[in-house]
Amino acid sequence: MPESTISTSDLASKYIAQVSGDLERNAKEQDRLRQEISALEEQLAALRHDHKVLVNVQQALAGPTAAAESAASSESAASSPRKPAAKAAAGKQARARKSPAKPTHTTGKKAPAETTKAKDAAAKTAKPTLVQLVRSHLAAQSEPRSAVEVATALSETHPERGTKATVVRTTLEGLVAKNLARRTKQGSSVFYTSPDVPEQGAQAEKTQPSLAE
């Protein structure tokens, strides 16, 4: 076989290997970005929920003030001096006799409902985020846990959240980047622990598989 043919074949093989490697890296990068997007979408949904709750609280708290201002404006317009002085004075005296009963009656009815609304809104706002749940779970563990194990535990304790392993893994990596969690590897598997867990305990757990072998 001519030397030029062999060189061309070797060059083609190198290009094929390089393109294959680039395709693999591209696929991994796409998967990483999809995981980050999922985590960001969940955080955005939580922020939108909190925003809606805060708006409801604001409206509930502003309701009595707006009603009082409206009532004061109506009373001021009704007491304008368009009639003779004697009739206006009589009307003011009559309103003065009736007015003390109105605030007491109104306050007695609306105050409990407004207090209940404020408490309910505060309870909804206090809903823990995924980051808080993950940190609390790691802090309660004495041994390293994988992202799948953490996601399974959170799904059991909070089934309404629909927690996914990919989102939990992204959250754990974010905690590691902020030094709020530690990451260890056991072969090809990755495990996470709380920074409050002693390093010796995590290292012992990490070396157990090799001792068993």
Side-chain angles (χ1 to χ4, degrees):
M1 181 180 295
E3 184 177 352
S4 59
T5 304
I6 297 176
S7 300
T8 303
S9 177
D10 292 342
L11 185 61
S13 300
K14 290 180 180 179
Y15 280 129
I16 291 173
Q18 182 177 355
V19 170
S20 298
D22 291 341
L23 285 173
E24 183 178 358
R25 285 191 294 272
N26 184 281
K28 290 182 179 179
E29 185 67 14
Q30 288 186 43
D31 184 61
R32 183 183 68 80
L33 291 175
R34 278 194 294 268
Q35 293 176 6
E36 292 182 358
I37 290 172
S38 298
L40 291 174
E41 286 178 347
E42 181 174 351
Q43 293 177 11
L44 178 60
L47 289 174
R48 286 176 175 171
H49 177 269
D50 293 344
H51 180 270
K52 184 177 180 180
V53 171
L54 291 173
V55 169
N56 291 336
V57 173
Q58 186 184 46
Q59 292 177 350
L61 295 176
T65 304
E69 291 178 353
S70 178
S73 299
S74 300
E75 185 176 353
S76 176
S79 61
S80 298
R82 295 183 180 179
K83 296 183 178 181
K87 292 183 178 181
K92 289 181 180 179
Q93 291 177 358
R95 284 193 295 273
R97 288 194 297 270
K98 294 179 180 180
S99 59
K102 290 182 179 179
T104 304
H105 182 70
T106 303
T107 304
K109 283 187 176 182
K110 290 187 178 180
E114 291 164 1
T115 303
T116 303
K117 283 184 179 180
K119 289 182 178 180
D120 292 343
K124 291 180 180 179
T125 306
K127 181 179 179 181
T129 62
L130 179 61
V131 174
Q132 292 173 336
L133 291 176
V134 171
R135 290 190 64 188
S136 299
H137 180 75
L138 288 181
Q141 307 303 312
S142 60
E143 299 177 350
R145 290 290 183 268
S146 66
V148 175
E149 291 173 333
V150 176
T152 301
L154 294 182
S155 297
E156 292 176 354
T157 55
H158 301 277
E160 74 283 355
R161 299 183 69 96
T163 307
K164 297 181 180 179
T166 54
V167 178
V168 172
R169 184 178 293 106
T170 302
T171 303
L172 287 167
E173 289 297 330
L175 291 175
V176 171
K178 297 178 182 178
N179 294 324
L180 298 177
R182 286 201 299 263
R183 175 176 54 191
T184 56
K185 293 193 68 175
Q186 297 181 15
S188 59
S189 302
V190 179
F191 294 86
Y192 302 88
T193 55
S194 172
D196 299 330
V197 176
E199 185 70 27
Q200 293 80 1
Q203 186 65 25
E205 179 68 17
K206 178 180 177 183
T207 56
Q208 283 181 0
S210 60
L211 293 175
E213 293 176 0

